[in-house]
Amino acid sequence: MAKIEIPYKWECPLKWEYPLKNKIVKERISQLAKETGLRWEAVAILFNRGFQTKEAIDDFLSINLNSLHDPSLLKDADKAADRIIEAINNKEEITVYTDFDADGWGAGVSAVLLFDKIGVKANLYSNKNTLGFGICKQGIDELLSLYPDTKLLITTDNGIVAFDAVEYANSKGLTVIITDHHEPHADGLLPKAYAIVDPKRLDDSYPFKELCGAGLLFKLFMLIYYKLGVNPKDCYEVLDIVATSTVADVVPIVDENRAIVSAGLKEINSEKRLVWKVLREVMSEGSFEPITNVDTKVLGFTYGPAINACRRILGSIDLPIKLFLLENTEANLAEMTEIVQKMKSVNDERKVIQKDLTNGAISLVAQKDEDIPAIVIAHDEFPEGIVGIIAGNLKEMFNKPTVVFAQDESDPSLLKGSARSIKNFPLKTVLDQIQEEYRNDTGEESLIVKYGGHDGAGGLTIRKDRLIDFEMYFVLKADALLSEEDYFKRVRIDLGLNEDEVTPELYDMIKSLEPYGEGFEEPVIGIRNFTPINPKDQQIFGQNQNLSLKGRHIKVISWRGGKAWKELGEPDKVHIVGKLGGIDSYTGKPVIYVDPGNIRPA
C-alpha cells in the first residue's frame, strides 16, 4: 500500500495540563512532603497518580512480596489446586493449554518450570496463529494428537468465554481447569469446566483484579506448593518471567503487580537465568542506546515485542518457549544466542512490515470523514498477526476507538479484528451491547461471531459481509458515549520546572519510584523557557531525522523531531514536555526525551 503524509487536520490535538497550577493542590502537596519526608517532586508524582494521603503513599511505597494476597481468596483456587495435586499423586498426564502472546508465553513457561521443580513433567501446548486466541476444538484435537494420554487440561491466560471448546474437551474425557484474567461473559455465565480461576469472575471477591495470566498462574502455584508442604516462596524462581508478562500485557503496575515486577526486574538484572544475559547482549547489537539495565521500558518495548513478533511473523511462540525451557547452563549459551538472534531478526522484520502497513492504514482512515467518532478499517493485505499493532498505532495517532480487520487465513468469509480503545469507551462492554442491540434490532443471533478482551483492548471475528453493519453499530456507540473532550489527547505534566532545576539528583529520585508502567506512568516533566545553545546549529541525526538540542543544564532528544524543529523555525526559546530518560555519559547532564509535538515556541 502506498505511503501517505499525515495531514495535520487528522492529527490528534494535544492539551497540556498542569495540576500544580491549582493553589489547593500545591498546598496539599507541600503538606504531604512535610508529613512523609519525601521531596515535593516525589509527592507531586504520587499525588497525580491517586496517592493523596500519607497512608496511601506509605502503603504504595512499601509494597513488596510480603504484600501478596492469599491465593485462597480466589474463587475456585482451592478446588483447582486440590484437583491438580490429585492428578500429581495419581500420575495423570497434565497438559497446559496457553495463549500465544507474551502473557500466554510467560504463563505457560512458568507452569512447566514450576511443575518441573516439584518433579512433575507437564506438557505445554499453544495455538498456532491460524487458530486465533484461546482454547478451541481444533486446538484440542491437535493437543490430543501430540499428547494422547492427557487427563488434566489447564488453560493459562485463556478460556473464560470458551463455552464450546470446554464442552468439547469434556466430551473427550478431559478434566478442564481454567486460569484466565480476561472479562467473563456479560451476564456472568461460565464454561462448564471443573474449576475456573479468574479474579474477574462476577462472583469473585479477590482484592486485586488486575493480575495478568502469568501472574494468576504464579499465585495458583503458590497455593499448590503450600498444600504440598513445599515453601511457596520457591515459586519466586519464575518472577523474572512473570514480570515480563505483566509488563508486556499492559496491566496496571500497582498492588501485587508492583511487587511482582519489582522483584522480577532484580532477578532479570542479576542474570542468574543466563538467557537474560543473552537477550541483553543480542538485543543491544547495533542499538543507538545499548541495554545496560533492564527496566519496564526494556520489557515493554524490546523483550515483549520480540516474543510477540514470533507469533505475528512465524505464526507461533514456539521459539521463545523453547528458549526459556532450555536448561540454565553455560553449555546451552550457543543455542540460546542462536534463538535470540532469530527472534531479533523476526522482530526487525515485524517493524518493517508494521511501518509499511501502518502507512497504508492511515491512507484508509484518510478516506473517511475526519469527524467520524471511531475508526473501523479492513484490508486483505493486513496479516492477522499485525492488526493489533496497527490498531494501537491508529488509536495513539487519532485518539479514537479503533478496530482493524484482516481476512481470516483459514476462512475467507470471515474477518479477524483487533481493537484498541480510549478512556470512556469500555471496549468489552461496548461489544456486549452491540451484540445485544443487533440481536434485538434484527432478530438474528449475533453480529459478532466471537470476541473477548477488556476495557482497553480486545479481539473479535465477524462475517465479511457484515463489516458495514459492524462499523455502523461501533461508530454509533462512539457517537453516543464520547464527547468532543474525549478526543483530546491530554498530556498531564507532573513537574513544571526551569532547566536548572532538572538535576542528576532529580533523576535519581524519579528512578527510586520505579517500576513505572500502566497505571503508574513514568513522570512527565515540563521545561519552561528552555534556551538551546546555538539553536540554529542543533544536531539532526539518523535516517529518521532525530533531533538533539543542547542546553546549559540538560540535553533534549526528540526522535523524528528534526522536521518539526525546522518547521518551527528553529526558535531561540521553547517550552518542552517530555520524560527524564537518563544522564548523558559524556556531559553528565540529564537527558529529556520529547515527542516532536511537545516542543512549542515560548
Side-chain angles (χ1 to χ4, degrees):
M1 301 179 71
K3 296 181 181 179
I4 184 170
E5 290 291 325
I6 308 169
Y8 180 77
K9 66 180 180 179
W10 285 313
E11 290 181 349
C12 173
L14 293 167
K15 281 192 173 183
W16 290 358
E17 299 177 344
Y18 187 39
L20 261 69
K21 288 176 66 176
N22 183 299
K23 183 180 178 182
I24 295 174
V25 171
K26 193 172 182 178
E27 289 175 351
R28 181 62 186 140
I29 287 172
S30 179
Q31 180 62 34
L32 280 171
K34 293 177 183 177
E35 293 175 7
T36 61
L38 298 172
R39 288 179 56 146
W40 74 265
E41 298 97 331
V43 174
I45 292 165
L46 292 162
F47 190 92
N48 286 341
R49 283 148 188 74
F51 305 100
Q52 300 181 350
T53 66
K54 180 181 184 300
E55 294 73 21
I57 290 172
D58 289 344
D59 287 347
F60 181 75
L61 294 180
S62 65
I63 289 173
N64 57 39
L65 293 175
N66 293 325
S67 309
L68 298 178
H69 306 299
D70 180 355
S72 287
L73 297 175
L74 285 158
K75 187 79 173 180
D76 271 10
D78 279 298
K79 185 178 182 182
D82 290 342
R83 180 64 183 86
I84 291 169
I85 291 169
E86 179 185 327
I88 292 170
N89 292 335
N90 293 337
K91 300 190 184 308
E92 296 178 41
E93 186 157 341
I94 300 170
T95 299
V96 176
Y97 192 133
T98 199
D99 226 335
F100 60 3
D101 61 4
D103 188 14
W105 155 82
V109 168
S110 295
V112 171
L113 292 174
L114 291 173
F115 271 125
D116 185 67
K117 193 171 180 64
I118 52 175
V120 177
K121 184 186 181 303
N123 309 312
L124 179 58
Y125 174 83
S126 173
N127 281 349
K128 301 297 182 285
N129 207 32
T130 52
L131 298 185
F133 288 98
I135 185 172
C136 62
K137 293 180 180 179
Q138 187 177 340
I140 292 166
D141 287 338
E142 288 187 4
L143 178 153
L144 289 174
S145 70
L146 292 169
Y147 312 113
D149 296 326
T150 298
K151 299 299 180 188
L152 179 63
L153 183 64
I154 304 170
T155 75
T156 56
D157 190 36
N158 76 97
I160 193 64
V161 292
F163 299 96
D164 292 343
V166 172
E167 289 271 20
Y168 185 68
N170 292 339
S171 74
K172 294 290 185 179
L174 300 174
T175 300
V176 180
I177 291 175
I178 292 172
T179 72
D180 199 355
H181 71 116
H182 293 98
E183 297 283 350
H185 195 274
D187 58 12
L189 284 175
L190 298 171
K192 294 179 180 178
Y194 178 85
I196 300 174
V197 185
D198 185 337
K200 290 179 181 171
R201 283 179 58 160
L202 301 187
D203 59 350
D204 193 297
S205 58
Y206 191 69
F208 184 57
K209 303 294 185 182
E210 301 298 338
L211 289 165
C212 71
L216 182 66
L217 186 281
F218 163 75
K219 293 302 300 290
L220 178 60
F221 263 89
M222 288 190 74
L223 182 59
I224 292 168
Y225 273 38
Y226 173 77
K227 286 174 175 278
L228 285 171
V230 179
N231 188 345
K233 291 185 178 180
D234 286 357
C235 294
Y236 292 177
E237 185 177 293
V238 298
L239 280 174
D240 53 347
I241 296 168
V242 177
T244 304
S245 290
T246 300
V247 174
D249 211 46
V250 201
V251 291
I253 310 299
V254 297
D255 204 289
E256 290 188 294
N257 288 340
R258 180 174 172 84
I260 287 168
V261 173
S262 295
L265 284 170
K266 289 178 183 176
E267 287 300 306
I268 290 169
N269 283 299
S270 76
E271 297 185 347
K272 286 185 289 187
R273 197 185 302 275
L274 294 174
V275 69
W276 296 118
K277 178 178 185 292
V278 175
L279 272 163
R280 178 178 55 78
E281 291 175 348
V282 172
M283 292 299 180
S284 293
E285 291 173 2
S287 173
F288 179 73
E289 294 182 315
I291 299 166
T292 56
N293 178 71
V294 177
D295 57 14
T296 51
K297 284 185 283 190
V298 174
L299 296 184
F301 295 103
T302 302
Y303 294 175
I307 294 167
N308 284 327
C310 293
R311 187 262 299 179
R312 297 186 194 320
I313 302 300
L314 302 179
S316 77
I317 56 169
D318 290 349
L319 212 57
I321 285 174
K322 179 181 180 181
L323 175 67
F324 277 81
L325 291 182
L326 286 172
E327 189 177 356
N328 187 39
T329 65
E330 292 197 1
N332 284 325
L333 278 174
E335 187 173 3
M336 291 177 186
T337 302
E338 183 180 347
I339 293 174
V340 175
Q341 286 173 338
K342 174 66 174 175
M343 289 173 60
K344 185 175 188 294
S345 174
V346 167
N347 196 38
D348 289 343
E349 180 183 350
R350 186 270 306 170
K351 290 177 184 177
V352 173
I353 294 171
Q354 171 191 332
K355 183 178 179 181
D356 291 343
L357 291 175
T358 297
N359 284 326
I362 292 167
S363 70
L364 293 178
V365 176
Q367 296 169 23
K368 298 179 180 290
D369 187 330
E370 66 181 273
D371 295 324
I372 197 165
I375 296 169
V376 178
I377 59 171
H379 200 282
D380 289 346
E381 290 185 25
F382 292 158
E384 288 180 23
I386 302 291
V387 289
I389 296 176
I390 298 172
N393 288 343
L394 295 180
K395 189 269 291 186
E396 286 299 312
M397 189 176 298
F398 299 103
N399 206 45
K400 295 178 178 182
T402 300
V403 186
V404 179
F405 285 104
Q407 183 170 282
D408 188 312
E409 294 174 3
S410 58
D411 185 345
S413 71
L414 298 177
L415 294 174
K416 279 188 176 178
S418 192
R420 299 293 183 268
S421 194
I422 63 175
K423 188 177 179 182
N424 296 328
F425 194 80
L427 192 59
K428 172 63 166 53
T429 301
V430 165
L431 295 178
D432 288 336
Q433 293 171 351
I434 287 174
Q435 192 82 314
E436 182 65 24
E437 289 171 14
Y438 183 82
R439 186 178 296 122
N440 293 337
D441 290 346
T442 67
E444 296 185 19
E445 182 59 29
S446 62
L447 172 61
I448 310 170
V449 175
K450 64 177 181 177
Y451 64 98
H454 46 77
D455 284 357
L460 65 159
T461 300
I462 64 172
R463 282 171 45 190
K464 202 169 190 177
D465 59 4
R466 296 297 166 86
L467 175 62
I468 294 175
D469 292 334
F470 175 81
E471 181 176 14
M472 180 185 71
Y473 276 86
F474 194 76
V475 167
L476 287 174
K477 273 294 173 188
D479 191 51
L481 293 175
L482 299 171
S483 68
E484 185 177 348
E485 285 292 301
D486 291 314
Y487 296 107
F488 285 95
K489 185 182 287 185
R490 302 179 185 279
V491 177
R492 186 165 67 173
I493 300 168
D494 292 296
L495 306 172
L497 304 171
N498 297 318
E499 181 189 348
D500 61 357
E501 295 174 299
V502 182
T503 64
E505 291 74 25
L506 178 68
Y507 172 72
D508 290 340
M509 182 279 293
I510 288 175
K511 289 286 289 181
S512 73
L513 297 179
E514 290 182 335
Y516 296 109
E518 182 73 14
F520 189 68
E521 289 79 10
E522 192 176 358
V524 175
I525 298 175
I527 309 295
R528 299 176 290 239
N529 299 314
F530 171 63
T531 306
I533 300 171
N534 301 323
K536 303 292 183 184
D537 188 30
Q538 296 303 313
Q539 182 183 5
I540 296 176
F541 61 97
Q543 289 183 331
N544 294 317
Q545 293 285 290
N546 304 311
L547 173 68
S548 173
L549 299 175
K550 298 173 184 176
R552 288 175 175 79
H553 301 279
I554 64 173
K555 181 178 180 180
V556 174
I557 298 290
S558 180
W559 305 118
R560 297 179 175 83
K563 181 180 178 182
W565 177 249
K566 290 177 181 177
E567 289 175 350
L568 288 174
E570 301 173 332
D572 294 332
K573 188 181 292 185
V574 290
H575 302 312
I576 61 174
V577 171
K579 296 176 180 179
L580 187 51
I583 303 295
D584 185 85
S585 58
Y586 296 104
T587 65
K589 295 177 181 179
V591 181
I592 304 284
Y593 291 93
V594 180
D595 290 334
N598 280 331
I599 303 176
R600 299 181 183 177

